[in-house]
Amino acid sequence: EFLLKELVLKKNAVVLELGFGTGCSLVKIKSRHPDIHLFGAELSQNMFTKASARLRFCGIGGVTLKKIEPNNQLPFGENTFDVVYAESVLGIQEGKNIEFMFTELYRVLKPGGQMILNETVWLEGISREEIKTLNTACKNIFGIIQANMEYPGAREWEALIRAKGFSNLVVKTIDNNSQKIPLTKAE
């Protein structure tokens, strides 16, 4: 809910949720904004199947789901989306794959478009060895890492995001509501 409240969508906005998982956010977004064009992109076939079933169960139509493949371009044209939404997707990309994902998100976002995301980053002071140990354990147990090691903290994320062309970067934390999270593509 914290992140969904950041979505301010105009009628006929074209919106992408990257990594929609079981489709919970897709249902909430489309229910609250029935007059938008909503797309979802998902890597996991299992999640794709579950989200499709959830949308049918909830009677939600007008959502286009796309199955994506690792390290491949997103199946959308340049400058397609007014808003890109991602929650707990980019931070679990391993190695430098996160760079490719930001390049792709920038490509599909319209000039002046907004990217809203919520991701896990490592706290300052966590050593690379600790990160490696925790990521290895998480990968062995859950099949995914806890958080990216190449870009561990907020400063590294900010530098990466700006290097990929985004501007107006603002961070909002749950305990500090004085900031916001709009990431926009330069016009």
Side-chain angles (χ1 to χ4, degrees):
E1 286 302 316
F2 174 76
L3 196 60
L4 290 173
K5 288 177 184 172
E6 295 298 321
L7 285 174
V8 179
L9 302 175
K10 295 178 182 174
K11 185 176 183 175
N12 292 317
V14 183
V15 179
L16 170 65
E17 181 178 5
L18 179 69
F20 53 76
T22 64
C24 183
S25 294
L26 291 171
V27 169
K28 289 179 180 181
I29 293 167
K30 189 64 174 176
S31 296
R32 295 172 189 177
H33 306 280
D35 54 356
I36 65 167
H37 306 283
L38 184 57
F39 293 79
E42 176 61 56
L43 184 66
S44 165
Q45 182 61 51
N46 187 34
M47 292 297 107
F48 188 94
T49 301
K50 289 183 183 300
S52 297
R54 181 185 293 245
L55 289 168
R56 280 191 306 278
F57 177 80
C58 294
I60 303 292
V63 179
T64 303
L65 302 181
K66 299 280 188 177
K67 174 76 174 64
I68 58 174
E69 298 300 324
N71 302 313
N72 285 352
Q73 268 192 331
L74 294 173
F76 308 106
E78 292 182 20
N79 304 321
T80 299
F81 297 101
D82 297 297
V83 176
V84 172
Y85 175 91
E87 185 173 0
S88 301
V89 173
L90 298 169
I92 60 172
Q93 300 301 306
E94 293 190 57
K96 298 205 180 255
N97 190 45
I98 192 171
E99 295 175 14
F100 176 75
M101 290 307 303
F102 274 115
T103 298
E104 276 300 286
L105 294 174
Y106 188 83
R107 182 183 67 80
V108 301
L109 192 62
K110 290 179 182 176
Q114 186 177 38
M115 182 170 65
I116 298 174
L117 52 95
N118 176 34
E119 299 297 337
T120 300
V121 298
W122 295 102
L123 294 173
E124 289 200 32
I126 302 290
S127 71
R128 289 238 182 229
E129 190 58 39
E130 289 173 298
I131 291 171
K132 186 176 180 182
T133 299
L134 290 168
N135 275 345
T136 299
C138 287
K139 179 106 183 205
N140 290 337
I141 297 168
F142 305 112
I144 58 174
I145 61 171
Q146 176 65 32
N148 188 282
M149 188 164 91
E150 298 293 323
Y151 296 93
R155 283 191 295 233
E156 292 86 1
W157 272 69
E158 180 178 354
L160 171 62
I161 290 166
R162 289 191 190 284
K164 292 300 175 180
F166 291 96
S167 60
N168 299 323
L169 171 65
V170 186
V171 176
K172 182 175 183 179
T173 61
I174 291 173
D175 58 351
N176 179 3
N177 290 322
S178 65
Q179 301 173 332
K180 294 194 174 187
I181 309 179
L183 300 174
T184 56
K185 182 173 178 179
E187 295 191 52

